[in-house]
């Protein structure tokens, strides 16, 4: 499972020209799920992300976590994180999990993240065509892969 973490000053997700989620300071997370991913990947990533110290303290040093700053989050499913571009010019998404595997894990990710953060988060809609707006803060962009924990 891969997650792109964007530290943002603001972010929103629009679906069918309507606002589905909007937030101020916090994290915008793009989540890509592979066939081999499991509940353990979800749990590890959620704990890691929520406790990751990527928000500035009074000296602008990254010493605070999302919990420390009482930040918000938006979680968006994004299968394109598993694009393979080794051959040709059209990306292959063969590593991305099929919807019947990915959607339940995406919903588990949202639930686990909310449980660990202690509040509701915004989301995209699985499989929908979305417009995502963000104002990256820093910029801070981090890629996590649950395979790196093994």
């Amino acid at each position: 499972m891969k997650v792109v973490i964007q530290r943002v000053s603001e972010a929103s997700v629009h679906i069918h020209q309507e606002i589905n989620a909007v937030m101020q300071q916090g994290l915008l997370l793009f989540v890509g799920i592979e066939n081999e991913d499991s509940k353990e990947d979800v749990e590890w990533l959620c704990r890691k992300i929520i406790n990751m110290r990527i928000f500035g303290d009074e000296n602008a040093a990254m010493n605070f976590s999302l919990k420390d700053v009482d930040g918000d989050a938006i979680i968006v499913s994004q299968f394109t994180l598993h694009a393979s571009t080794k051959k040709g010019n059209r990306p292959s998404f063969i590593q991305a999990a099929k919807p019947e595997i990915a959607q339940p894990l995406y919903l588990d990710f949202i639930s686990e993240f909310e449980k660990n953060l202690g509040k509701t988060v915004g989301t995209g809609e699985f499989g929908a065509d979305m417009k995502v707006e963000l104002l990256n803060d820093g910029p801070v962009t981090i890629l996590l892969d649950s395979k790196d924990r093994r």
Side-chain angles (χ1 to χ4, degrees), residues 6 90 147:
Q6 300 266 333
R90 179 177 293 167
K147 285 189 178 106

Side-chain angles (χ1 to χ4, degrees), residues 18-149:
E18 292 186 19
I19 296 174
N20 199 66
V22 64
M23 61 169 267
Q24 296 301 309
Q25 179 187 25
L27 299 177
L28 175 61
L29 307 175
F30 295 102
V31 179
I33 300 166
E34 288 183 304
N35 290 315
E36 310 83 40
D37 291 333
S38 67
K39 181 76 171 160
E40 289 77 27
D41 295 295
V42 168
E43 292 167 353
W44 181 81
L45 283 165
C46 288
R47 279 192 313 272
K48 185 80 169 171
I49 294 165
I50 288 170
N51 293 301
M52 191 174 288
R53 297 183 321 170
I54 57 175
F55 290 90
D57 63 13
E58 60 280 353
N59 298 314
M62 287 196 263
N63 281 320
F64 293 137
S65 70
L66 184 63
K67 267 187 155 176
D68 294 333
V69 299
D70 192 30
D72 293 318
I74 294 176
I75 301 171
V76 176
S77 176
Q78 189 168 1
F79 74 94
T80 60
L81 293 178
H82 294 289
S84 173
T85 57
K86 290 181 182 178
K87 294 182 181 178
N89 293 320
R90 179 177 293 167
S92 167
F93 302 106
I94 199 157
Q95 285 301 113
K98 302 283 185 246
E100 56 272 13
I101 294 170
Q103 187 171 18
L105 281 172
Y106 171 66
L107 296 174
D108 284 348
F109 189 97
I110 293 166
S111 179
E112 184 72 16
F113 202 89
E114 288 178 335
K115 181 177 90 177
N116 283 281
L117 188 58
K119 62 178 166 179
T120 302
V121 300
T123 66
E125 181 182 312
F126 187 88
D129 182 39
M130 297 173 269
K131 306 299 181 220
V132 180
E133 294 181 311
L134 66 125
L135 182 57
N136 193 309
D137 180 22
V140 174
T141 302
I142 297 170
L143 175 62
L144 279 183
D145 190 330
S146 62
K147 285 189 178 106
D148 293 342
R149 74 180 169 93

